[in-house]
Amino acid sequence: MFDKAKNIKKLEDKVWLSSPTMHGDELKYMTEAYETNWMSTVGENINKVEEEVAKIAGCDYAVGLASGTSTLHLAIKLAGVKRGERVFCSSMTFSASANPICYEGAIPVFIDSEYETWNMDPKALEKAFEIYPETKYVMLVHLYGTPAKMDEIVEICNKNNAILIEDAAESFGATYKGKQTGTFGSYNAISFNGNKIITGSAGGMLLTNSKEAADKARKWSTQSRENAPWYQHEEVGYNYRMSNVIAGVVRGQLPYLYDHINQKKEIYNRYKEGLKDLPIKMNPFDEDIMEPNYWLSCMIIDEEAMSKEVRDDLDYLYRPEKGKTSPHEILDTLASINAEGRPIWKPMHKQPIFRNHDFINRYGKANALTNAYIEGGLVDERDKMPEDICSDIFKRGLCLPSDNKMTEEEQEIIIEAIRACFE
Ligand SMILES: *Cc1c(COP(=O)(O)O)cnc(C)c1O
C-alpha cells in the first residue's frame, strides 16, 4: 500500500477532533463549591448557570441536569411520549437522540436528511406524517452545530399538532434567523459533555418556556420527592440533577462560549479556503438565515472523486487510487500525522440495533433491509430506489480535526495531508 502523505511532517502534539478547552475560572468556581461545602446538587454555581444559559439562549427556563442524554430522556417524558407510540427522529445523529425514546418503550421512526444542512429533511418529515398521521412527537438534531431548516420543520409540526423536541447538544450558541437553537421546540436539550462547544466535563440542560415543565424536570431529576417530612413519592424519580461542582466548570466556561464559536468558525473557514479547489464540499448551511456554532468542520467528497471503499459493521477496506480518495484513506492519513478525524455519525437506521425500524425519506418508506439488499448486490434496483441521503453523506463524508486549540500552522499541515490524499 502506498502512503500518499509520506512526505508530510508529523504533528508534534496530537490534534484532537474536539477536546475540552479550559480558561482558569472553572477551577475558581469548583474551589468555591469545595470551600463552601456545596459539593452536591444544590448551590450557587447551579443557580448562576441556569440563569445565565436561559439568558444566552433566550428562553424562560434552563434546568441543569447530569447529561445531555438524561435531559433528552426527561424531554421525552415531558412531551408525554407513551409506550408503543412512534417518535419521528433524525436518522443521521448521535445515538443519544434515539436511545431516550427507547427508554420509554416508544418507537423511533427514522427520518432522512437533506443536503443543504445535513439535518432532518422537511419533505421526508412531511412524508412521515402522511404515512403515520397519528404521530405526535418529533426529535430533531442540529448536527455538528448547524441549525436545521426550522421554518419548515416548525410549520410541519404545527400543522400536525406534533410536539417538537430539539437535540441541540452539539449546537449551543447557533442561531436560525437570529433565534437560538434549543428554543424552537417545547422541551430541548443542550450538552456540556467534554467534546462539546463548551463543557462542564459532563452535564446537560433542559431549555423550555414552560414553568410547569421546568418544575417537573427539577422534581423528577431529584428522585421525585414530594413535599413531605419523609421520602414521599407519587411518581417515578431519577438521579439526573447537575452537580454544583460540574456547574462550576460550566460557569467558568460560559463567558468563553462565543470565543470558542469564533475559533471554530475560523477553523471552518481555513479548511474551506485551503480545500476550495479540491472536489469536496464543507458541511453546508444557508448563510442568509443561519449562523452555526461551527462545532465540527466536516467535508464530503464529490462522487466522482471517491475511490473504492467498503465498510461492514465493524471494519473498512479501501483501495488507494490516483487522483481520488475516500473517507478512511483521509482518516488514516490524518492519524499517520497525529491528527484525529472521525467518520460521519452513522445513520441510526443503519445501526444493527435499529435495523428493523422504519426509515422514511422524501419518497416514502425506504427501510434499511431494502437498502442492505441493494448494497449487497442481491437486487439491483438503484435506479428505481429513492436515494437515502444520510447514508450517502455517511459514505462520502468525514469530520475533520476541529479542536479550538489547534494552531494555524498545525491546521496547514492537516490541510496539506488532506490535499495529498487527492494526488
Ligand atoms: C453529545 C450528544 C448527546 C448526548 O449528550 P451527553 O451530555 O453526552 O449525554 C446527544 N445528542 C447529540 C447529537 C450529541 O452530540
Side-chain angles (χ1 to χ4, degrees), residues 67-69 72 93-94 96-97 141 167 169-170 191 193 196 203:
S67 63
T69 310
L72 287 165
T93 184
F94 183 63
S97 310
V141 72
D167 179 350
E170 299 175 359
S191 163
N193 177 307
K196 299 298 190 315

Side-chain angles (χ1 to χ4, degrees), residues 84-99:
E85 287 189 314
R86 289 190 182 84
V87 179
F88 295 145
C89 178
S90 304
S91 184
M92 202 168 81
T93 184
F94 183 63
S95 63
S97 310
N99 283 334

Side-chain angles (χ1 to χ4, degrees), residues 15-19 264 296 340-342 345 399-403:
V15 174
W16 300 92
L17 183 75
S18 183
S19 72
K264 298 263 190 184
L296 289 191
E340 183 191 35
R342 192 163 294 172
W345 294 187
C399 306
L400 299 168
S402 305
D403 199 273

